[in-house]
């Protein structure tokens, strides 16, 4: 059966017309005011942060203010190429279709097959993590790179694909195998980084790789399907967005927009309420695999969606290991999962659920991390307390526990066990009064200060009556970043404090209501922050996803988070047209900055691509790829 769908675009994007009349000064005053108060109390300029209205109160103080980041900013703009600052180079390291094994066929866009794709680098690289080899070492010239492959764009993958694609089952089969993860061994020498093609570590994880359900939902009645009679064995992962790395050397990958893959009718299904809350099945931005394959057809296999939407833990150091779906961390449209060792050695995970009005979650492990006993750590993510954030206008964050039997999470509301709580985690979070956020993407812990940065990418649906302190703009086109402060560094505490870090948008455009450091340049402001990472000095590196809808390219911006350069974002990297940037990740010594260029040329077609990056070969489509950015002659990136 051939199925036609409209041309493909990023599943994250849903443009809505802008609100040109932001009136939110009263709310802002509350949550930016803390640092102004510090000033009046006589605290020095160094701790003020100087987040302010552009050209506002801090300007007089900013003449001598400077960022600690020394690179020359990349100009704002958009073209077919990738740009880094003068004095830097960007090596294209791994591109879609690249062979990962000695027996893998070379990439040939005219001859794609399931057999070749499962031995080659997948499509639309997202999360990137570098883990030094050997495990536990700090090598910055030898390690494993794990990369997620979030989704596919058939109109850019296959020759002669028309703008409206008619997708056959064999083509969808190739696209299925282009999802999942790649794990590769890398070495750096004077000539740059290279992939070790005959490494025993190299692995493709796909939507059909055998996996196991772990934690409270494992084996539960609702998890039993036609392809998983025991509710424990499961098959593969897809829609993998960002992720995280554990201190014991495993990688977490986040299953996000799983709704697009399913076909069929949910009316009358026992899980219909759950699926409706998930927006499932999706709006046909993709070819639903269920149109061709029964596993994803709800009419045939109605409980399959409950096997997706989890955080999956993968041990890249053991190529034969069975990945585990950690259900204790809840089921939603997971953006990522960052991991922190708490002061008492319990493990804390932070997670955003990336959809308009969804929530920010925290998991605190029951047991403690043991630095010298890896096997004792391997199942830490199966037992612990999941909670969800409520933000008050007075600067307090309350973490509400999502525990069966606690508060409203009882039989009266349809919860019969912790399995129900984690499977229906959005419903549980609704009931405990969590704050509905503007699409939570990355939530990362600053390794130097211990504060937690929450990146909110946008929410164009929010109306003025729904504005609150933590989501202060109606029809939020541009996104914002919030900083959470755990008391005395205790990430398990029931309450934190919070403040706004920046409001994205063009600071010269009053209708945007943007807020940065006063000195942010014409190239230095950003929109739609998405993934982020910290360098070893605690500076924040932010990748964006959405600028193409506003006429310039997405990229990477970096900023100090403390001191006189706080919220002074500076433009470090510019992606080719159509692409977003994902997975920023540093080597331990900060001399290499890895990032993923996802969906270059998005919105165009194989025949008439908006760019042919990175090959620029006639007849070659653009190829999503991971790049390694280094300083010419070596040195700390950003210094
Ligand atoms: Fe796949 Fe939330 O971006
Ligand atoms: Ca995206
Ligand atoms: Ca995004
Ligand atoms: Ca993302």
């Amino acid at each position: 059966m051939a199925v036609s769908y409209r041309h493909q675009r990023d599943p994250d994007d849903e443009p809505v017309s802008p609100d040109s009349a932001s009136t939110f000064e009263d709310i802002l005053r509350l949550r930016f005011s803390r640092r102004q108060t510090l000033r009046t109390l006589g605290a020095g300029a160094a701790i003020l942060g100087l987040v302010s209205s552009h050209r506002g109160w801090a300007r007089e103080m900013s003449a001598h203010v400077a960022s600690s980041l020394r690179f020359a900013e990349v100009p704002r703009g958009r073209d077919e190429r990738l740009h880094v600052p003068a004095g830097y180079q960007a090596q294209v390291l791994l591109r879609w279709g690249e062979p990962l094994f000695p027996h893998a066929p070379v990439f040939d866009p005219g001859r794609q097959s399931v057999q070749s794709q499962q031995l080659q680098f997948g499509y639309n690289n997202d999360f990137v993590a570098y883990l030094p080899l050997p495990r536990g070492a700090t090598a910055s010239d030898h390690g494993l790179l794990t990369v997620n492959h979030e989704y596919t764009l058939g109109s850019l993958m296959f020759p002669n694909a028309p703008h409206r694609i008619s997708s056959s089952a064999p083509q969808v089969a190739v696209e299925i195998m282009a999802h999942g993860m790649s794990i590769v061994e890398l070495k750096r020498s004077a000539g740059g980084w290279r992939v070790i093609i005959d490494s025993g570590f190299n692995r493709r994880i796909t939507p059909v790789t055998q996996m196991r359900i772990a934690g409270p939902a494992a084996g539960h009645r609702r998890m039993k399907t036609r392809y998983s009679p025991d509710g424990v064995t499961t098959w593969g992962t897809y829609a993998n967005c960002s992720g995280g790395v554990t201190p014991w050397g495993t990688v977490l990958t986040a299953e996000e927009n799983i709704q697009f893959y399913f076909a069929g009718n949910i009316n009358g299904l026992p899980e219909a309420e759950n699926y409706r809350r998930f927006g499932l099945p999706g709006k046909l931005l993709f070819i639903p695999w269920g149109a061709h394959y029964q596993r994803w057809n709800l009419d045939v296999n109605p409980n399959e969606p409950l096997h997706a939407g989890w955080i999956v833990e993968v041990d890249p150091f053991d190529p034969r290991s069975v990945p585990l779906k950690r259900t204790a961390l809840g089921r939603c449209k997971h953006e990522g999962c960052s991991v922190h060792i708490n002061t008492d050695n319990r493990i804390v995970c932070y997670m955003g659920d990336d959809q308009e009005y969804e929530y920010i979650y925290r998991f605190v492990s029951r047991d403690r991390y043991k630095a010298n006993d890896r096997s004792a750590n391997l199942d830490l993510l199966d037992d612990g307390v999941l909670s969800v954030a409520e933000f008050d206008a007075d600067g307090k964050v309350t973490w509400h526990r999502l525990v069966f039997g606690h508060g409203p999470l009882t039989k009266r509301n349809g919860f019969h066990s912790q399995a129900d709580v984690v499977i229906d985690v959005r419903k549980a979070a609704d009931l405990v009064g969590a704050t509905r956020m503007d699409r939570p993407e990355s939530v990362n812990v600053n390794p130097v200060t211990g504060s937690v940065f929450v990146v909110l990418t946008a929410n164009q649906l929010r109306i003025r009556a729904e504005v609150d302190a933590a989501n202060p703009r109606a029809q939020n086109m541009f996104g914002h970043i919030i900083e959470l402060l755990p008391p005395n560094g205790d990430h398990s505490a029931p309450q934190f404090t919070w403040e706004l870090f920046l409001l994205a948008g063009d600071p010269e455009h009053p209708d945007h209501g943007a807020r940065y450091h006063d000195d942010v340049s014409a190239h230095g402001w950003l929109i739609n922050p998405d993934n982020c990472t910290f360098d070893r000095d605690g500076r924040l590196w932010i990748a964006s996803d959405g600028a193409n809808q506003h006429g310039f390219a997405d990229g990477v911006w970096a900023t100090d988070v403390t001191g006189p350069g706080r919220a002074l974002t500076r433009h470090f990297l510019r992606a080719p047209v159509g692409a977003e940037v994902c997975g920023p990740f540093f080597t331990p010594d900060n001399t290499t900055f890895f990032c993923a260029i996802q969906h270059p040329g998005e919105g165009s077609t194989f025949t008439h691509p908006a760019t042919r990056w990175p090959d620029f070969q006639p007849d070659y489509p653009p190829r999503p790829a991971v790049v390694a950015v280094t300083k010419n002659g070596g040195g700390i990136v950003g210094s």
Side-chain angles (χ1 to χ4, degrees):
M1 176 175 58
V3 187
S4 290
Y5 295 99
R6 51 201 178 96
H7 84 274
Q8 293 165 288
R9 56 187 176 80
D10 192 326
D12 293 338
D13 303 335
E14 245 175 84
V16 174
S17 62
D19 177 11
S20 58
S22 301
T23 53
F24 61 108
E25 291 300 329
D26 289 345
I27 298 163
L28 284 194
R29 204 169 298 127
L30 284 169
R31 292 317 318 140
F32 277 125
S33 66
R34 181 171 169 269
R35 288 163 193 277
Q36 296 191 38
T37 305
L38 282 173
R39 183 174 70 147
T40 59
L41 291 174
I47 62 163
L48 287 178
L50 299 178
V51 173
S52 73
S53 106
H54 195 64
R55 312 294 176 238
W57 63 270
R59 189 172 200 195
E60 66 205 69
M61 302 184 63
S62 64
H64 54 277
V65 160
S67 170
S68 71
L69 292 149
R70 298 294 177 208
F71 58 84
E73 286 193 85
V74 171
R76 186 181 309 280
R78 186 169 64 170
D79 61 24
E80 296 178 27
R81 295 181 180 271
L82 180 127
H83 300 265
V84 292
Y88 285 80
Q89 56 189 305
Q91 179 192 355
V92 180
L93 191 57
L94 279 162
R95 38 198 113 189
W96 163 54
E98 189 152 331
L100 300 183
F101 306 91
H103 58 292
V106 294
F107 177 65
D108 180 347
R111 290 168 54 87
Q112 299 181 54
S113 68
V114 166
Q115 290 71 25
S116 59
Q117 181 61 81
Q118 67 185 345
L119 301 172
Q120 297 169 336
F121 195 63
Y123 204 78
N124 268 350
N125 31 218
D126 201 302
F127 181 63
V128 176
Y130 170 89
L131 294 95
L133 277 169
R135 191 181 67 227
T138 55
S140 291
D141 58 0
H142 186 200
L144 299 180
L145 205 71
T146 77
V147 182
N148 284 355
H149 302 294
E150 187 182 16
Y151 68 104
T152 50
L153 290 166
S155 52
L156 274 171
M157 290 173 72
F158 299 100
N160 307 316
H163 203 54
R164 288 170 176 274
I165 59 172
S166 293
S167 199
S168 61
Q171 187 188 78
V172 171
V174 172
E175 296 189 44
I176 289 173
M177 298 313 281
H179 281 66
M181 289 176 89
S182 293
I183 299 168
V184 295
E185 182 178 348
L186 294 182
K187 271 188 179 158
R188 186 182 179 184
S189 58
W193 287 95
R194 71 192 154 88
V195 174
I196 309 300
I197 193 100
D198 56 355
S199 167
F201 290 112
N202 293 4
R203 184 178 186 186
R204 271 304 316 280
I205 290 171
T206 72
V208 299
T209 301
Q210 186 170 349
M211 302 194 170
R212 214 170 72 231
I213 307 282
H220 189 272
R221 173 184 52 79
R222 297 172 69 185
M223 301 297 286
K224 293 180 180 171
T225 74
R226 182 172 174 150
Y227 301 93
S228 177
D230 61 2
V232 174
T233 302
T234 191
W235 304 97
T237 187
Y238 47 93
N240 302 91
C241 198
S242 190
V245 177
T246 69
W248 50 95
T250 60
V251 172
L252 305 175
T253 172
E255 298 177 336
E256 191 192 29
N257 284 300
I258 61 138
Q259 71 277 16
F260 294 117
Y261 298 83
F262 293 90
N265 191 348
I266 67 167
N267 292 330
L269 293 183
E271 298 296 343
E273 181 192 352
N274 179 295
Y275 295 171
R276 244 173 242 121
R277 186 75 177 78
F278 232 91
L280 191 153
K283 293 184 197 163
L284 302 188
L285 292 176
F286 297 167
I287 307 144
W289 297 349
H292 295 298
Y293 295 96
Q294 291 192 344
R295 180 176 150 199
W296 290 280
N297 184 335
L298 299 169
D299 301 333
V300 178
N301 189 31
N303 280 34
E304 185 69 22
L306 301 189
H307 281 236
W310 303 107
I311 297 292
V312 186
E313 184 170 8
V314 177
D315 184 352
F317 293 98
D318 179 0
R320 285 171 302 282
S321 60
V322 175
L324 295 150
K325 300 211 171 187
R326 297 297 187 186
T327 63
L329 278 57
R331 175 176 164 273
C332 60
K333 294 180 187 173
H334 278 295
E335 170 67 19
C337 185
S338 67
V339 185
H340 181 73
I341 306 171
N342 198 29
T343 43
D344 60 4
N345 282 331
R346 282 183 295 166
I347 291 298
V348 180
C349 301
Y350 291 101
M351 297 164 283
D353 179 359
D354 181 9
Q355 188 173 320
E356 290 86 352
Y357 301 117
E358 291 302 335
Y359 303 122
I360 296 162
Y361 295 91
R362 179 186 74 176
F363 172 84
V364 180
S365 69
R366 182 191 64 192
D367 298 329
R368 286 170 167 70
Y369 168 68
K370 296 191 175 87
N372 297 317
D373 185 358
R374 187 174 196 244
S375 62
N377 301 323
L378 289 177
D379 292 319
L380 280 176
L381 302 185
D382 279 347
D383 293 288
V385 174
L386 186 65
S387 37
V388 66
E390 179 187 3
F391 291 78
D392 288 350
D394 64 0
K396 189 175 71 201
V397 187
T398 301
W399 292 102
H400 294 287
R401 290 152 52 95
L402 300 173
V403 175
F404 170 65
H406 182 80
L409 307 183
T410 60
K411 291 189 177 129
R412 188 165 50 86
N413 289 312
F415 296 95
H416 298 272
S417 67
Q418 188 63 19
D420 289 333
V421 173
V422 295
I423 290 170
D424 294 317
V425 76
R426 286 178 162 187
K427 177 181 167 187
D430 293 342
L431 288 166
V432 301
T435 299
R436 303 166 79 212
M437 307 299 290
D438 285 350
R439 287 189 53 195
E441 300 252 25
S442 289
V443 185
N444 283 20
V445 181
N446 186 313
V448 174
T449 67
S451 66
V452 184
F453 281 72
V454 175
V455 178
L456 300 143
T457 200
N459 181 359
Q460 297 151 9
L461 306 179
R462 187 179 291 275
I463 61 173
R464 199 157 302 153
E466 297 170 330
V467 160
D468 60 35
N471 301 279
R473 287 184 288 190
Q475 291 186 309
N476 180 3
M477 298 274 289
F478 306 115
H480 57 290
I481 300 178
I482 291 174
E483 185 177 9
L484 312 187
L485 304 154
N488 305 313
D490 179 7
H491 288 257
S492 71
Q495 289 188 333
F496 292 8
T497 55
W498 71 273
E499 51 194 79
L500 290 165
F501 179 69
L502 65 77
L503 298 177
D506 179 354
E508 296 291 353
H509 198 304
D511 288 348
H512 290 194
R515 292 290 188 280
Y516 301 86
H517 187 288
D518 205 38
D519 284 352
V520 75
S521 78
H523 311 297
W525 55 267
L526 66 141
I527 63 176
N528 302 126
D530 186 330
N531 295 135
C532 67
T533 194
F534 290 97
D535 63 26
R536 64 181 188 180
D537 294 321
R539 296 178 297 203
L540 179 64
W541 296 68
I542 307 158
S544 77
D545 174 16
N548 279 281
Q549 293 172 49
H550 298 270
F552 61 96
D554 278 306
V556 175
W557 284 260
T559 177
D560 294 322
V561 303
T562 56
R566 178 177 164 92
L568 177 46
T569 47
R570 306 188 72 238
H571 196 189
F572 177 73
L573 179 145
R574 197 173 103 198
V577 59
E580 69 167 283
V581 184
C582 308
F585 204 96
F586 283 97
T587 51
D589 68 358
N590 278 203
T591 60
T592 297
F593 174 87
F594 295 107
C595 64
I597 304 301
Q598 194 192 75
H599 55 73
E602 184 183 58
S604 62
T605 62
F606 188 102
T607 323
H608 301 290
T611 175
R612 294 188 191 276
W613 186 88
D615 303 303
F616 294 104
Q617 297 237 44
D619 307 326
Y620 262 46
R623 297 166 76 183
V626 172
V627 299
V629 183
T630 53
K631 243 180 148 169
N632 296 341
I636 306 287
V637 172
S639 64

